[in-house]
Amino acid sequence: MVGHAPCRFRRTANRATGRLLPQVLIATGLLVGVTRPAVGTVVPQVFRVDLPVSRLAAGVPEAEIRRAARVLLDRITGDPDLAARGSVNGLLAESSQWVAEYGYKKMPGRLKGRGDTSRSPFRLWIRFGHRAVERAVLGAHLPFWGELRPLLLVWLDAGSQSREILSASSPSPLRRHLERTLHRLALPALLPVMDLRERLQIRGGSLSPPAWPLLRKVSKKYRPEALWVGRLTGSPAGGWLGVFALRIGHFTLDWKSQRPHVHRQNALQSAVDHLDSILASRYAVFAEHEPVRLSIRIRGRLTLRRISRLEHFFRHLPGVTQAHLRELASKSLTFTVLSRIDRTHLRRLMALAGPGITLKPETEHGHRLVFALQP
């Protein structure tokens, strides 16, 4: 399984000074390296897995489906100890039932030797059915993190002698490694352009400790939901250490390496895996009961764009199906949904309804929930 590297971090702070109010993205793919402002939030590639293979086949071998399913489960649970859970083997045994479509594509390069597929000329891609995977994972009482994911803007001092911050156009192998790692975990992210203005405003010293007011100001044009800040440094004893921080709304979390990593790429990859676990702990859901029909009313000033965003949002909520717009008035609308998740999870996920949309829980009467649309 393509899994998490051993976590070599300890937390240095854990502050939640307010509500989590990230905006939502309507992403058409992973956004690593994109230099324009992002305008999206759904990451469709979550359920598509690409694997190197040594040859073409008429179908997909069962072993390859299971290998792809392990990658998928790593993405949607954010659990570094997933392999230790007994229910995983049962899920992998039924993973062939999740396959929606597949195909092969030819890639440049030749095999280095027998059994070495690192430069395989072929890649197998498998797209798993979203709802089939969701039913299986929630049915196994595992955490499920679907296509709704916050956009990250990455400010990283890569530890070079010049203390340059990694940019979207950097020729550094570390940038390519970061992109591959983020893609493996289906985390949408941007690297800054680092034009002249950004170079003058943001320097390595702004990242450790993070100068949050300055970083938020400079980051505004990218429209991120979260800022991930880090600095890699060489250890006097050899190897690489890292200091990192994540900010989502008013939530801030800092951590650093407990001991050195041999290579700089290992330090960064371990940090990304730890980041993935943190995000999954905030956005993944569990199935708590049998499906329940809920009525969700949203009050406030509605525009056609906001209504469209809300419809799009409900269609992609994890653990929620059969979303219908039942009633529409000048200052309110009502959706009906079939929900398999606890209402605490649902209220927390409603904070993801943006961009430009903030939903505040108001009242709850039986199966009827009311939210206020904040300006």
Side-chain angles (χ1 to χ4, degrees):
M1 172 175 147
V2 179
H4 293 270
C7 180
R8 296 182 175 182
F9 298 110
R10 64 182 176 86
R11 294 182 180 180
T12 58
N14 187 349
R15 301 182 295 276
T17 58
R19 289 188 304 130
L20 174 67
L21 295 174
Q23 300 172 338
V24 168
L25 250 337
I26 309 168
T28 56
L30 296 181
L31 302 171
V32 176
V34 176
T35 58
R36 60 180 176 80
V39 289
T41 109
V42 175
V43 185
Q45 283 92 332
V46 170
F47 295 93
R48 171 174 164 152
V49 179
D50 287 36
L51 299 171
V53 291
S54 59
R55 60 185 177 85
L56 298 177
V60 183
E62 186 73 24
E64 300 295 348
I65 294 177
R66 293 193 180 197
R67 186 156 67 105
R70 284 183 180 274
V71 177
L72 175 67
L73 290 175
D74 194 37
R75 288 178 178 177
I76 64 179
T77 63
D79 187 351
D81 301 316
L82 183 66
R85 296 179 181 268
S87 54
V88 171
N89 290 334
L91 285 175
L92 294 176
E94 65 178 70
S95 58
S96 60
Q97 303 173 28
W98 308 343
V99 177
E101 57 182 349
Y102 66 89
Y104 293 87
K105 56 185 179 181
K106 188 172 173 58
M107 304 294 291
R110 296 182 179 180
L111 295 178
K112 294 180 179 178
R114 180 176 297 178
D116 182 359
T117 58
S118 61
R119 294 182 60 194
S120 170
F122 303 108
R123 292 190 75 85
L124 163 68
W125 61 268
I126 300 176
R127 186 177 66 81
F128 295 96
H130 180 157
R131 293 303 181 187
V133 175
E134 182 180 287
R135 285 193 298 270
V137 172
L138 290 177
H141 298 286
L142 289 173
F144 179 86
W145 187 17
E147 296 172 317
L148 286 174
R149 301 186 171 214
L151 175 66
L152 300 165
L153 181 61
V154 181
W155 295 99
L156 178 67
D157 178 350
S160 62
Q161 291 184 349
S162 60
R163 298 292 301 274
E164 288 187 2
I165 294 173
L166 204 64
S167 73
S169 58
S170 170
S172 169
L174 194 68
R175 177 186 63 81
R176 295 190 290 272
H177 178 78
L178 175 62
E179 290 178 354
R180 288 193 298 268
T181 304
L182 291 166
H183 186 275
R184 168 173 65 85
L185 296 172
L187 295 177
L190 294 168
L191 287 168
V193 178
M194 294 311 296
D195 54 17
L196 179 59
R197 175 172 299 203
E198 290 179 351
R199 290 177 187 274
L200 292 174
Q201 291 180 305
I202 305 295
R203 300 180 183 274
S206 305
L207 305 184
S208 181
W212 291 121
L214 175 61
L215 289 168
R216 287 198 302 271
K217 178 182 177 182
V218 178
S219 302
K220 184 176 290 187
K221 68 179 182 181
Y222 297 98
R223 299 177 62 189
E225 283 78 46
L227 300 180
W228 186 44
V229 178
R231 180 169 61 88
L232 297 173
T233 58
S235 168
W240 290 86
L241 298 169
V243 179
F244 301 92
L246 172 69
R247 187 175 182 92
I248 310 175
H250 296 286
F251 171 82
T252 304
L253 181 67
D254 307 292
W255 71 95
K256 65 181 181 180
S257 303
Q258 287 184 302
R259 57 185 182 273
H261 294 261
V262 176
H263 301 292
R264 185 167 55 166
Q265 290 184 351
N266 297 130
L268 183 59
Q269 179 167 329
S270 187
V272 176
D273 289 331
H274 191 59
L275 170 71
D276 181 58
S277 297
I278 294 169
L279 292 172
S281 71
R282 298 190 69 80
Y283 296 116
V285 298
F286 288 86
E288 300 289 351
H289 46 61
E290 293 299 316
V292 173
R293 178 70 62 182
L294 296 176
S295 173
I296 301 176
R297 184 184 178 209
I298 298 173
R299 301 188 307 102
R301 182 176 176 273
L302 298 168
T303 64
L304 290 177
R305 175 171 292 187
R306 285 178 174 176
I307 294 170
S308 175
R309 285 175 178 169
L310 288 168
E311 287 184 303
H312 183 269
F313 170 68
F314 278 108
R315 285 200 301 269
H316 290 90
L317 266 178
V320 172
T321 57
Q322 300 181 26
H324 299 291
L325 178 57
R326 191 186 72 184
E327 180 182 309
L328 176 61
S330 60
K331 292 188 178 181
S332 71
L333 55 77
T334 302
F335 285 92
T336 57
V337 301
L338 193 65
S339 174
R340 294 188 60 192
I341 64 175
D342 183 81
R343 293 181 200 183
T344 302
H345 285 300
L346 182 59
R347 284 191 292 268
R348 174 168 52 82
L349 289 173
M350 293 294 282
L352 285 170
I357 296 177
T358 300
L359 298 174
K360 179 182 178 181
E362 285 201 331
T363 58
E364 179 175 338
H365 301 289
H367 296 328
R368 182 181 178 87
L369 310 179
V370 179
F371 293 83
L373 184 61
Q374 301 293 299

